[in-house]
Amino acid sequence: LLLLDWLVELETMYHAALHAPPTPLKTQQQRAQHLLRSPVDVSFSGAAALHPMPRLVYALLRSPVLAPPVEGQHGDLVAFLEHCWGSLTPSELACAVYPHLTAYADPDTVVCSNLPLSKSMLHPPPSSGVPQIPPIFLLDAYIVILVLYTSSCPSHIPYPPPQQSALRRSIGAIRQERKIAPMVRVVREGSEDAQLFFHLLLDEPAEEPASAAGQGEGAALQNGGNNGGSSGSSREQHASTMGSSADARGSGLQHFLEHVRLEVVKSLQ
């Protein structure tokens, strides 16, 4: 895909600029040998503005816009997304392509934001930087907002979150500033309604068969949503079909980044 080739080329130019030899080398082979001595930084850790790029490309390749259509996919879904995404600002588009995940200690206390879309965040290891096991997660996928109460959530934490809580105020602010008011669902881990939350953890490998999961989750959203019509149906199905590609793009973020790293090494040789 051209988008994947573009990312590899960007990574290659970044690596070449970051590890340029102090003095010009005589041959291309010498230059290649010099560049290959340094590991490839696929996460752009030295360039903050480029750091989100690999995740965004990965998520876009797994989106219904670029991924092969799944069985039962609405015929207007791609057209809806192209129209919707084409009108968004860069920050809004980034949220629509790669949802924002925020952890809460309780409905009034944010623990950590902009978390990776990985199941490990629900039960984080000590190395993750998350100081405690968060009982509540807010997943903002632009057109859908999901609040998940984990299985480890203490019983004294109110469910659903109170209307005057910081969590509810944050959701209200998001809804007010959006061109399309997102649907909001509050769910518990382990319930059938929570399937969509886990389906949107894009860092994980795509589930198969994707079509069955997508249809079930789309129906659940349609029954609980507050917007009708064909556009609402398209929004619901977009959320449930994110990440349903079964090829290399659907093998998980780490597999994708390793594939990019190997392609950069090839281009440097």
Side-chain angles (χ1 to χ4, degrees), residues 168-206:
R168 286 287 191 181
R169 292 197 302 269
S170 177
I171 294 174
I174 291 172
R175 286 175 59 85
Q176 285 186 344
E177 68 183 17
R178 293 282 158 86
K179 296 179 177 68
I180 300 175
M183 292 176 292
V184 180
R185 298 292 301 276
V186 181
V187 299
R188 287 191 182 275
E189 183 180 4
S191 67
E192 184 176 351
D193 290 341
Q195 292 179 4
L196 180 58
F197 181 95
F198 290 94
H199 197 70
L200 287 171
L201 297 180
L202 300 183
D203 291 5
E204 303 293 333

PDB file of all heavy atoms in Angstrom, residues 168-206:
ATOM      1  N   ARG A 168     -18.293  12.940  33.804  1.00  0.00           N
ATOM      2  CA  ARG A 168     -19.480  13.364  33.059  1.00  0.00           C
ATOM      3  C   ARG A 168     -19.275  14.749  32.436  1.00  0.00           C
ATOM      4  O   ARG A 168     -19.707  15.008  31.305  1.00  0.00           O
ATOM      5  CB  ARG A 168     -20.692  13.383  33.971  1.00  0.00           C
ATOM      6  CG  ARG A 168     -21.225  12.016  34.337  1.00  0.00           C
ATOM      7  CD  ARG A 168     -21.950  11.373  33.155  1.00  0.00           C
ATOM      8  NE  ARG A 168     -22.675  10.179  33.574  1.00  0.00           N
ATOM      9  CZ  ARG A 168     -23.373   9.404  32.756  1.00  0.00           C
ATOM     10  NH1 ARG A 168     -23.422   9.698  31.465  1.00  0.00           N
ATOM     11  NH2 ARG A 168     -24.005   8.338  33.219  1.00  0.00           N
ATOM     12  N   ARG A 169     -18.619  15.647  33.165  1.00  0.00           N
ATOM     13  CA  ARG A 169     -18.371  16.984  32.623  1.00  0.00           C
ATOM     14  C   ARG A 169     -17.439  16.913  31.423  1.00  0.00           C
ATOM     15  O   ARG A 169     -17.610  17.655  30.443  1.00  0.00           O
ATOM     16  CB  ARG A 169     -17.791  17.901  33.699  1.00  0.00           C
ATOM     17  CG  ARG A 169     -18.781  18.236  34.815  1.00  0.00           C
ATOM     18  CD  ARG A 169     -18.316  19.456  35.603  1.00  0.00           C
ATOM     19  NE  ARG A 169     -16.991  19.245  36.176  1.00  0.00           N
ATOM     20  CZ  ARG A 169     -16.777  18.735  37.380  1.00  0.00           C
ATOM     21  NH1 ARG A 169     -17.812  18.371  38.139  1.00  0.00           N
ATOM     22  NH2 ARG A 169     -15.554  18.595  37.851  1.00  0.00           N
ATOM     23  N   SER A 170     -16.461  16.019  31.487  1.00  0.00           N
ATOM     24  CA  SER A 170     -15.549  15.846  30.360  1.00  0.00           C
ATOM     25  C   SER A 170     -16.292  15.333  29.131  1.00  0.00           C
ATOM     26  O   SER A 170     -16.073  15.814  28.015  1.00  0.00           O
ATOM     27  CB  SER A 170     -14.427  14.872  30.745  1.00  0.00           C
ATOM     28  OG  SER A 170     -13.555  14.628  29.657  1.00  0.00           O
ATOM     29  N   ILE A 171     -17.180  14.364  29.333  1.00  0.00           N
ATOM     30  CA  ILE A 171     -17.986  13.846  28.220  1.00  0.00           C
ATOM     31  C   ILE A 171     -18.873  14.941  27.646  1.00  0.00           C
ATOM     32  O   ILE A 171     -18.998  15.086  26.424  1.00  0.00           O
ATOM     33  CB  ILE A 171     -18.823  12.640  28.688  1.00  0.00           C
ATOM     34  CG1 ILE A 171     -17.920  11.456  29.047  1.00  0.00           C
ATOM     35  CG2 ILE A 171     -19.830  12.234  27.616  1.00  0.00           C
ATOM     36  CD1 ILE A 171     -18.655  10.287  29.658  1.00  0.00           C
ATOM     37  N   GLY A 172     -19.479  15.743  28.527  1.00  0.00           N
ATOM     38  CA  GLY A 172     -20.333  16.832  28.061  1.00  0.00           C
ATOM     39  C   GLY A 172     -19.569  17.847  27.233  1.00  0.00           C
ATOM     40  O   GLY A 172     -20.064  18.333  26.207  1.00  0.00           O
ATOM     41  N   ALA A 173     -18.345  18.164  27.655  1.00  0.00           N
ATOM     42  CA  ALA A 173     -17.525  19.117  26.904  1.00  0.00           C
ATOM     43  C   ALA A 173     -17.158  18.567  25.532  1.00  0.00           C
ATOM     44  O   ALA A 173     -17.153  19.295  24.533  1.00  0.00           O
ATOM     45  CB  ALA A 173     -16.267  19.452  27.705  1.00  0.00           C
ATOM     46  N   ILE A 174     -16.854  17.267  25.482  1.00  0.00           N
ATOM     47  CA  ILE A 174     -16.519  16.637  24.206  1.00  0.00           C
ATOM     48  C   ILE A 174     -17.707  16.686  23.261  1.00  0.00           C
ATOM     49  O   ILE A 174     -17.578  17.034  22.085  1.00  0.00           O
ATOM     50  CB  ILE A 174     -16.073  15.178  24.437  1.00  0.00           C
ATOM     51  CG1 ILE A 174     -14.724  15.126  25.162  1.00  0.00           C
ATOM     52  CG2 ILE A 174     -15.978  14.426  23.104  1.00  0.00           C
ATOM     53  CD1 ILE A 174     -14.307  13.729  25.584  1.00  0.00           C
ATOM     54  N   ARG A 175     -18.885  16.357  23.765  1.00  0.00           N
ATOM     55  CA  ARG A 175     -20.088  16.347  22.925  1.00  0.00           C
ATOM     56  C   ARG A 175     -20.412  17.744  22.381  1.00  0.00           C
ATOM     57  O   ARG A 175     -20.876  17.888  21.249  1.00  0.00           O
ATOM     58  CB  ARG A 175     -21.277  15.794  23.709  1.00  0.00           C
ATOM     59  CG  ARG A 175     -21.216  14.288  23.918  1.00  0.00           C
ATOM     60  CD  ARG A 175     -22.370  13.815  24.803  1.00  0.00           C
ATOM     61  NE  ARG A 175     -23.680  14.145  24.239  1.00  0.00           N
ATOM     62  CZ  ARG A 175     -24.332  13.399  23.353  1.00  0.00           C
ATOM     63  NH1 ARG A 175     -23.789  12.273  22.911  1.00  0.00           N
ATOM     64  NH2 ARG A 175     -25.525  13.758  22.906  1.00  0.00           N
ATOM     65  N   GLN A 176     -20.172  18.774  23.185  1.00  0.00           N
ATOM     66  CA  GLN A 176     -20.496  20.128  22.756  1.00  0.00           C
ATOM     67  C   GLN A 176     -19.587  20.609  21.632  1.00  0.00           C
ATOM     68  O   GLN A 176     -20.019  21.367  20.756  1.00  0.00           O
ATOM     69  CB  GLN A 176     -20.402  21.098  23.937  1.00  0.00           C
ATOM     70  CG  GLN A 176     -21.577  20.988  24.908  1.00  0.00           C
ATOM     71  CD  GLN A 176     -21.528  22.069  25.985  1.00  0.00           C
ATOM     72  OE1 GLN A 176     -20.509  22.708  26.190  1.00  0.00           O
ATOM     73  NE2 GLN A 176     -22.646  22.261  26.669  1.00  0.00           N
ATOM     74  N   GLU A 177     -18.329  20.184  21.636  1.00  0.00           N
ATOM     75  CA  GLU A 177     -17.370  20.704  20.651  1.00  0.00           C
ATOM     76  C   GLU A 177     -17.320  19.884  19.366  1.00  0.00           C
ATOM     77  O   GLU A 177     -16.682  20.289  18.404  1.00  0.00           O
ATOM     78  CB  GLU A 177     -15.977  20.766  21.264  1.00  0.00           C
ATOM     79  CG  GLU A 177     -15.371  19.412  21.561  1.00  0.00           C
ATOM     80  CD  GLU A 177     -14.017  19.500  22.248  1.00  0.00           C
ATOM     81  OE1 GLU A 177     -13.690  20.571  22.776  1.00  0.00           O
ATOM     82  OE2 GLU A 177     -13.294  18.483  22.254  1.00  0.00           O
ATOM     83  N   ARG A 178     -18.010  18.739  19.320  1.00  0.00           N
ATOM     84  CA  ARG A 178     -17.960  17.874  18.151  1.00  0.00           C
ATOM     85  C   ARG A 178     -18.936  18.303  17.065  1.00  0.00           C
ATOM     86  O   ARG A 178     -20.045  18.756  17.352  1.00  0.00           O
ATOM     87  CB  ARG A 178     -18.263  16.420  18.543  1.00  0.00           C
ATOM     88  CG  ARG A 178     -17.200  15.777  19.412  1.00  0.00           C
ATOM     89  CD  ARG A 178     -15.998  15.342  18.598  1.00  0.00           C
ATOM     90  NE  ARG A 178     -14.806  15.210  19.413  1.00  0.00           N
ATOM     91  CZ  ARG A 178     -14.480  14.105  20.097  1.00  0.00           C
ATOM     92  NH1 ARG A 178     -15.257  13.046  20.035  1.00  0.00           N
ATOM     93  NH2 ARG A 178     -13.373  14.074  20.800  1.00  0.00           N
ATOM     94  N   LYS A 179     -18.521  18.133  15.818  1.00  0.00           N
ATOM     95  CA  LYS A 179     -19.418  18.367  14.689  1.00  0.00           C
ATOM     96  C   LYS A 179     -20.534  17.335  14.668  1.00  0.00           C
ATOM     97  O   LYS A 179     -21.650  17.602  14.233  1.00  0.00           O
ATOM     98  CB  LYS A 179     -18.625  18.315  13.375  1.00  0.00           C
ATOM     99  CG  LYS A 179     -17.578  19.412  13.226  1.00  0.00           C
ATOM    100  CD  LYS A 179     -16.844  19.267  11.908  1.00  0.00           C
ATOM    101  CE  LYS A 179     -15.838  20.406  11.712  1.00  0.00           C
ATOM    102  NZ  LYS A 179     -14.736  20.321  12.660  1.00  0.00           N
ATOM    103  N   ILE A 180     -20.208  16.107  15.100  1.00  0.00           N
ATOM    104  CA  ILE A 180     -21.183  15.028  15.236  1.00  0.00           C
ATOM    105  C   ILE A 180     -21.221  14.630  16.706  1.00  0.00           C
ATOM    106  O   ILE A 180     -20.198  14.211  17.255  1.00  0.00           O
ATOM    107  CB  ILE A 180     -20.804  13.813  14.367  1.00  0.00           C
ATOM    108  CG1 ILE A 180     -20.748  14.199  12.892  1.00  0.00           C
ATOM    109  CG2 ILE A 180     -21.775  12.663  14.580  1.00  0.00           C
ATOM    110  CD1 ILE A 180     -20.271  13.081  11.995  1.00  0.00           C
ATOM    111  N   ALA A 181     -22.352  14.773  17.350  1.00  0.00           N
ATOM    112  CA  ALA A 181     -22.451  14.431  18.763  1.00  0.00           C
ATOM    113  C   ALA A 181     -22.247  12.934  18.948  1.00  0.00           C
ATOM    114  O   ALA A 181     -23.017  12.124  18.415  1.00  0.00           O
ATOM    115  CB  ALA A 181     -23.806  14.844  19.325  1.00  0.00           C
ATOM    116  N   PRO A 182     -21.210  12.532  19.664  1.00  0.00           N
ATOM    117  CA  PRO A 182     -20.955  11.096  19.836  1.00  0.00           C
ATOM    118  C   PRO A 182     -21.980  10.428  20.737  1.00  0.00           C
ATOM    119  O   PRO A 182     -22.510  11.048  21.664  1.00  0.00           O
ATOM    120  CB  PRO A 182     -19.557  11.060  20.467  1.00  0.00           C
ATOM    121  CG  PRO A 182     -19.430  12.366  21.163  1.00  0.00           C
ATOM    122  CD  PRO A 182     -20.206  13.359  20.344  1.00  0.00           C
ATOM    123  N   MET A 183     -22.274   9.177  20.456  1.00  0.00           N
ATOM    124  CA  MET A 183     -23.108   8.378  21.339  1.00  0.00           C
ATOM    125  C   MET A 183     -22.284   7.958  22.553  1.00  0.00           C
ATOM    126  O   MET A 183     -21.082   7.727  22.449  1.00  0.00           O
ATOM    127  CB  MET A 183     -23.614   7.138  20.601  1.00  0.00           C
ATOM    128  CG  MET A 183     -24.589   7.454  19.490  1.00  0.00           C
ATOM    129  SD  MET A 183     -25.082   5.978  18.569  1.00  0.00           S
ATOM    130  CE  MET A 183     -23.542   5.556  17.762  1.00  0.00           C
ATOM    131  N   VAL A 184     -22.896   7.875  23.710  1.00  0.00           N
ATOM    132  CA  VAL A 184     -22.217   7.563  24.967  1.00  0.00           C
ATOM    133  C   VAL A 184     -22.793   6.285  25.539  1.00  0.00           C
ATOM    134  O   VAL A 184     -24.011   6.136  25.657  1.00  0.00           O
ATOM    135  CB  VAL A 184     -22.367   8.717  25.993  1.00  0.00           C
ATOM    136  CG1 VAL A 184     -21.660   8.359  27.296  1.00  0.00           C
ATOM    137  CG2 VAL A 184     -21.802  10.015  25.417  1.00  0.00           C
ATOM    138  N   ARG A 185     -21.914   5.360  25.886  1.00  0.00           N
ATOM    139  CA  ARG A 185     -22.336   4.113  26.539  1.00  0.00           C
ATOM    140  C   ARG A 185     -21.486   3.905  27.787  1.00  0.00           C
ATOM    141  O   ARG A 185     -20.261   4.093  27.752  1.00  0.00           O
ATOM    142  CB  ARG A 185     -22.135   2.911  25.594  1.00  0.00           C
ATOM    143  CG  ARG A 185     -22.946   2.968  24.316  1.00  0.00           C
ATOM    144  CD  ARG A 185     -24.428   2.813  24.573  1.00  0.00           C
ATOM    145  NE  ARG A 185     -24.756   1.567  25.219  1.00  0.00           N
ATOM    146  CZ  ARG A 185     -24.939   0.419  24.567  1.00  0.00           C
ATOM    147  NH1 ARG A 185     -24.843   0.379  23.244  1.00  0.00           N
ATOM    148  NH2 ARG A 185     -25.252  -0.678  25.219  1.00  0.00           N
ATOM    149  N   VAL A 186     -22.114   3.525  28.892  1.00  0.00           N
ATOM    150  CA  VAL A 186     -21.421   3.153  30.128  1.00  0.00           C
ATOM    151  C   VAL A 186     -21.630   1.661  30.325  1.00  0.00           C
ATOM    152  O   VAL A 186     -22.775   1.194  30.406  1.00  0.00           O
ATOM    153  CB  VAL A 186     -21.958   3.949  31.332  1.00  0.00           C
ATOM    154  CG1 VAL A 186     -21.200   3.563  32.605  1.00  0.00           C
ATOM    155  CG2 VAL A 186     -21.840   5.454  31.082  1.00  0.00           C
ATOM    156  N   VAL A 187     -20.529   0.908  30.402  1.00  0.00           N
ATOM    157  CA  VAL A 187     -20.624  -0.554  30.433  1.00  0.00           C
ATOM    158  C   VAL A 187     -19.713  -1.118  31.516  1.00  0.00           C
ATOM    159  O   VAL A 187     -18.806  -0.436  32.002  1.00  0.00           O
ATOM    160  CB  VAL A 187     -20.232  -1.163  29.061  1.00  0.00           C
ATOM    161  CG1 VAL A 187     -21.158  -0.664  27.964  1.00  0.00           C
ATOM    162  CG2 VAL A 187     -18.783  -0.830  28.707  1.00  0.00           C
ATOM    163  N   ARG A 188     -19.963  -2.354  31.858  1.00  0.00           N
ATOM    164  CA  ARG A 188     -19.115  -3.077  32.801  1.00  0.00           C
ATOM    165  C   ARG A 188     -18.315  -4.149  32.068  1.00  0.00           C
ATOM    166  O   ARG A 188     -18.818  -4.793  31.145  1.00  0.00           O
ATOM    167  CB  ARG A 188     -19.951  -3.735  33.904  1.00  0.00           C
ATOM    168  CG  ARG A 188     -20.526  -2.759  34.929  1.00  0.00           C
ATOM    169  CD  ARG A 188     -21.101  -3.522  36.102  1.00  0.00           C
ATOM    170  NE  ARG A 188     -21.708  -2.664  37.097  1.00  0.00           N
ATOM    171  CZ  ARG A 188     -21.036  -2.076  38.082  1.00  0.00           C
ATOM    172  NH1 ARG A 188     -19.732  -2.274  38.200  1.00  0.00           N
ATOM    173  NH2 ARG A 188     -21.667  -1.307  38.960  1.00  0.00           N
ATOM    174  N   GLU A 189     -17.067  -4.331  32.479  1.00  0.00           N
ATOM    175  CA  GLU A 189     -16.238  -5.376  31.900  1.00  0.00           C
ATOM    176  C   GLU A 189     -16.887  -6.741  32.121  1.00  0.00           C
ATOM    177  O   GLU A 189     -17.361  -7.042  33.211  1.00  0.00           O
ATOM    178  CB  GLU A 189     -14.840  -5.359  32.526  1.00  0.00           C
ATOM    179  CG  GLU A 189     -13.890  -6.379  31.932  1.00  0.00           C
ATOM    180  CD  GLU A 189     -12.508  -6.351  32.561  1.00  0.00           C
ATOM    181  OE1 GLU A 189     -12.308  -5.572  33.521  1.00  0.00           O
ATOM    182  OE2 GLU A 189     -11.635  -7.123  32.116  1.00  0.00           O
ATOM    183  N   GLY A 190     -16.915  -7.551  31.077  1.00  0.00           N
ATOM    184  CA  GLY A 190     -17.519  -8.866  31.155  1.00  0.00           C
ATOM    185  C   GLY A 190     -18.932  -8.919  30.627  1.00  0.00           C
ATOM    186  O   GLY A 190     -19.452 -10.010  30.377  1.00  0.00           O
ATOM    187  N   SER A 191     -19.561  -7.762  30.455  1.00  0.00           N
ATOM    188  CA  SER A 191     -20.915  -7.737  29.917  1.00  0.00           C
ATOM    189  C   SER A 191     -20.870  -7.772  28.392  1.00  0.00           C
ATOM    190  O   SER A 191     -19.858  -7.457  27.764  1.00  0.00           O
ATOM    191  CB  SER A 191     -21.658  -6.492  30.393  1.00  0.00           C
ATOM    192  OG  SER A 191     -21.083  -5.323  29.821  1.00  0.00           O
ATOM    193  N   GLU A 192     -21.989  -8.132  27.794  1.00  0.00           N
ATOM    194  CA  GLU A 192     -22.066  -8.173  26.335  1.00  0.00           C
ATOM    195  C   GLU A 192     -21.885  -6.787  25.737  1.00  0.00           C
ATOM    196  O   GLU A 192     -21.293  -6.632  24.664  1.00  0.00           O
ATOM    197  CB  GLU A 192     -23.416  -8.759  25.908  1.00  0.00           C
ATOM    198  CG  GLU A 192     -23.557  -8.944  24.406  1.00  0.00           C
ATOM    199  CD  GLU A 192     -24.862  -9.605  24.026  1.00  0.00           C
ATOM    200  OE1 GLU A 192     -25.571 -10.079  24.932  1.00  0.00           O
ATOM    201  OE2 GLU A 192     -25.177  -9.646  22.824  1.00  0.00           O
ATOM    202  N   ASP A 193     -22.362  -5.770  26.428  1.00  0.00           N
ATOM    203  CA  ASP A 193     -22.238  -4.402  25.925  1.00  0.00           C
ATOM    204  C   ASP A 193     -20.794  -3.923  25.889  1.00  0.00           C
ATOM    205  O   ASP A 193     -20.485  -2.940  25.200  1.00  0.00           O
ATOM    206  CB  ASP A 193     -23.058  -3.446  26.798  1.00  0.00           C
ATOM    207  CG  ASP A 193     -24.547  -3.655  26.622  1.00  0.00           C
ATOM    208  OD1 ASP A 193     -24.944  -4.253  25.601  1.00  0.00           O
ATOM    209  OD2 ASP A 193     -25.321  -3.241  27.510  1.00  0.00           O
ATOM    210  N   ALA A 194     -19.903  -4.589  26.625  1.00  0.00           N
ATOM    211  CA  ALA A 194     -18.498  -4.161  26.682  1.00  0.00           C
ATOM    212  C   ALA A 194     -17.681  -4.669  25.500  1.00  0.00           C
ATOM    213  O   ALA A 194     -16.504  -4.313  25.367  1.00  0.00           O
ATOM    214  CB  ALA A 194     -17.864  -4.632  27.987  1.00  0.00           C
ATOM    215  N   GLN A 195     -18.282  -5.497  24.635  1.00  0.00           N
ATOM    216  CA  GLN A 195     -17.518  -6.067  23.521  1.00  0.00           C
ATOM    217  C   GLN A 195     -16.959  -4.984  22.604  1.00  0.00           C
ATOM    218  O   GLN A 195     -15.838  -5.100  22.099  1.00  0.00           O
ATOM    219  CB  GLN A 195     -18.400  -7.030  22.727  1.00  0.00           C
ATOM    220  CG  GLN A 195     -18.771  -8.297  23.478  1.00  0.00           C
ATOM    221  CD  GLN A 195     -19.661  -9.203  22.647  1.00  0.00           C
ATOM    222  OE1 GLN A 195     -19.943  -8.910  21.485  1.00  0.00           O
ATOM    223  NE2 GLN A 195     -20.118 -10.288  23.244  1.00  0.00           N
ATOM    224  N   LEU A 196     -17.729  -3.930  22.371  1.00  0.00           N
ATOM    225  CA  LEU A 196     -17.269  -2.873  21.475  1.00  0.00           C
ATOM    226  C   LEU A 196     -16.022  -2.195  22.024  1.00  0.00           C
ATOM    227  O   LEU A 196     -15.121  -1.837  21.267  1.00  0.00           O
ATOM    228  CB  LEU A 196     -18.382  -1.845  21.264  1.00  0.00           C
ATOM    229  CG  LEU A 196     -18.032  -0.679  20.328  1.00  0.00           C
ATOM    230  CD1 LEU A 196     -17.627  -1.181  18.953  1.00  0.00           C
ATOM    231  CD2 LEU A 196     -19.201   0.289  20.216  1.00  0.00           C
ATOM    232  N   PHE A 197     -15.956  -2.000  23.340  1.00  0.00           N
ATOM    233  CA  PHE A 197     -14.777  -1.383  23.951  1.00  0.00           C
ATOM    234  C   PHE A 197     -13.526  -2.182  23.609  1.00  0.00           C
ATOM    235  O   PHE A 197     -12.515  -1.615  23.181  1.00  0.00           O
ATOM    236  CB  PHE A 197     -14.956  -1.299  25.466  1.00  0.00           C
ATOM    237  CG  PHE A 197     -13.793  -0.662  26.193  1.00  0.00           C
ATOM    238  CD1 PHE A 197     -13.820   0.689  26.500  1.00  0.00           C
ATOM    239  CD2 PHE A 197     -12.683  -1.410  26.567  1.00  0.00           C
ATOM    240  CE1 PHE A 197     -12.754   1.285  27.172  1.00  0.00           C
ATOM    241  CE2 PHE A 197     -11.616  -0.830  27.229  1.00  0.00           C
ATOM    242  CZ  PHE A 197     -11.647   0.520  27.533  1.00  0.00           C
ATOM    243  N   PHE A 198     -13.587  -3.489  23.773  1.00  0.00           N
ATOM    244  CA  PHE A 198     -12.414  -4.320  23.500  1.00  0.00           C
ATOM    245  C   PHE A 198     -12.133  -4.411  22.005  1.00  0.00           C
ATOM    246  O   PHE A 198     -10.988  -4.567  21.594  1.00  0.00           O
ATOM    247  CB  PHE A 198     -12.613  -5.708  24.114  1.00  0.00           C
ATOM    248  CG  PHE A 198     -12.575  -5.708  25.612  1.00  0.00           C
ATOM    249  CD1 PHE A 198     -13.737  -5.610  26.357  1.00  0.00           C
ATOM    250  CD2 PHE A 198     -11.371  -5.775  26.288  1.00  0.00           C
ATOM    251  CE1 PHE A 198     -13.707  -5.580  27.734  1.00  0.00           C
ATOM    252  CE2 PHE A 198     -11.321  -5.753  27.666  1.00  0.00           C
ATOM    253  CZ  PHE A 198     -12.496  -5.657  28.394  1.00  0.00           C
ATOM    254  N   HIS A 199     -13.169  -4.294  21.185  1.00  0.00           N
ATOM    255  CA  HIS A 199     -12.971  -4.312  19.732  1.00  0.00           C
ATOM    256  C   HIS A 199     -12.211  -3.078  19.280  1.00  0.00           C
ATOM    257  O   HIS A 199     -11.511  -3.115  18.257  1.00  0.00           O
ATOM    258  CB  HIS A 199     -14.330  -4.387  19.028  1.00  0.00           C
ATOM    259  CG  HIS A 199     -14.245  -4.817  17.597  1.00  0.00           C
ATOM    260  ND1 HIS A 199     -13.908  -6.097  17.221  1.00  0.00           N
ATOM    261  CD2 HIS A 199     -14.432  -4.127  16.441  1.00  0.00           C
ATOM    262  CE1 HIS A 199     -13.906  -6.180  15.897  1.00  0.00           C
ATOM    263  NE2 HIS A 199     -14.218  -4.990  15.403  1.00  0.00           N
ATOM    264  N   LEU A 200     -12.317  -1.974  20.022  1.00  0.00           N
ATOM    265  CA  LEU A 200     -11.633  -0.738  19.660  1.00  0.00           C
ATOM    266  C   LEU A 200     -10.232  -0.636  20.258  1.00  0.00           C
ATOM    267  O   LEU A 200      -9.561   0.385  20.074  1.00  0.00           O
ATOM    268  CB  LEU A 200     -12.469   0.464  20.110  1.00  0.00           C
ATOM    269  CG  LEU A 200     -13.729   0.720  19.285  1.00  0.00           C
ATOM    270  CD1 LEU A 200     -14.593   1.788  19.934  1.00  0.00           C
ATOM    271  CD2 LEU A 200     -13.380   1.115  17.865  1.00  0.00           C
ATOM    272  N   LEU A 201      -9.767  -1.661  20.953  1.00  0.00           N
ATOM    273  CA  LEU A 201      -8.377  -1.693  21.413  1.00  0.00           C
ATOM    274  C   LEU A 201      -7.512  -2.132  20.230  1.00  0.00           C
ATOM    275  O   LEU A 201      -7.155  -3.296  20.070  1.00  0.00           O
ATOM    276  CB  LEU A 201      -8.230  -2.640  22.604  1.00  0.00           C
ATOM    277  CG  LEU A 201      -9.025  -2.247  23.857  1.00  0.00           C
ATOM    278  CD1 LEU A 201      -8.802  -3.251  24.973  1.00  0.00           C
ATOM    279  CD2 LEU A 201      -8.653  -0.830  24.325  1.00  0.00           C
ATOM    280  N   LEU A 202      -7.177  -1.172  19.382  1.00  0.00           N
ATOM    281  CA  LEU A 202      -6.598  -1.473  18.070  1.00  0.00           C
ATOM    282  C   LEU A 202      -5.194  -2.045  18.133  1.00  0.00           C
ATOM    283  O   LEU A 202      -4.723  -2.615  17.146  1.00  0.00           O
ATOM    284  CB  LEU A 202      -6.593  -0.203  17.210  1.00  0.00           C
ATOM    285  CG  LEU A 202      -7.954   0.431  16.927  1.00  0.00           C
ATOM    286  CD1 LEU A 202      -7.787   1.636  16.018  1.00  0.00           C
ATOM    287  CD2 LEU A 202      -8.908  -0.575  16.300  1.00  0.00           C
ATOM    288  N   ASP A 203      -4.490  -1.862  19.250  1.00  0.00           N
ATOM    289  CA  ASP A 203      -3.130  -2.420  19.334  1.00  0.00           C
ATOM    290  C   ASP A 203      -3.150  -3.939  19.357  1.00  0.00           C
ATOM    291  O   ASP A 203      -2.121  -4.576  19.096  1.00  0.00           O
ATOM    292  CB  ASP A 203      -2.423  -1.909  20.591  1.00  0.00           C
ATOM    293  CG  ASP A 203      -2.100  -0.425  20.500  1.00  0.00           C
ATOM    294  OD1 ASP A 203      -2.515   0.207  19.510  1.00  0.00           O
ATOM    295  OD2 ASP A 203      -1.441   0.098  21.419  1.00  0.00           O
ATOM    296  N   GLU A 204      -4.300  -4.521  19.675  1.00  0.00           N
ATOM    297  CA  GLU A 204      -4.421  -5.971  19.719  1.00  0.00           C
ATOM    298  C   GLU A 204      -4.652  -6.529  18.312  1.00  0.00           C
ATOM    299  O   GLU A 204      -5.152  -5.827  17.429  1.00  0.00           O
ATOM    300  CB  GLU A 204      -5.600  -6.372  20.612  1.00  0.00           C
ATOM    301  CG  GLU A 204      -5.508  -5.845  22.033  1.00  0.00           C
ATOM    302  CD  GLU A 204      -4.357  -6.470  22.810  1.00  0.00           C
ATOM    303  OE1 GLU A 204      -3.971  -7.617  22.485  1.00  0.00           O
ATOM    304  OE2 GLU A 204      -3.847  -5.814  23.739  1.00  0.00           O
ATOM    305  N   PRO A 205      -4.299  -7.795  18.072  1.00  0.00           N
ATOM    306  CA  PRO A 205      -4.606  -8.410  16.765  1.00  0.00           C
ATOM    307  C   PRO A 205      -6.094  -8.400  16.489  1.00  0.00           C
ATOM    308  O   PRO A 205      -6.910  -8.468  17.403  1.00  0.00           O
ATOM    309  CB  PRO A 205      -4.062  -9.844  16.917  1.00  0.00           C
ATOM    310  CG  PRO A 205      -3.041  -9.764  17.999  1.00  0.00           C
ATOM    311  CD  PRO A 205      -3.536  -8.696  18.948  1.00  0.00           C
ATOM    312  N   ALA A 206      -6.454  -8.289  15.209  1.00  0.00           N
ATOM    313  CA  ALA A 206      -7.853  -8.276  14.814  1.00  0.00           C
ATOM    314  C   ALA A 206      -8.496  -9.614  15.118  1.00  0.00           C
ATOM    315  O   ALA A 206      -7.876 -10.672  14.989  1.00  0.00           O
ATOM    316  CB  ALA A 206      -7.982  -7.958  13.322  1.00  0.00           C
TER     317      ALA A 206
END
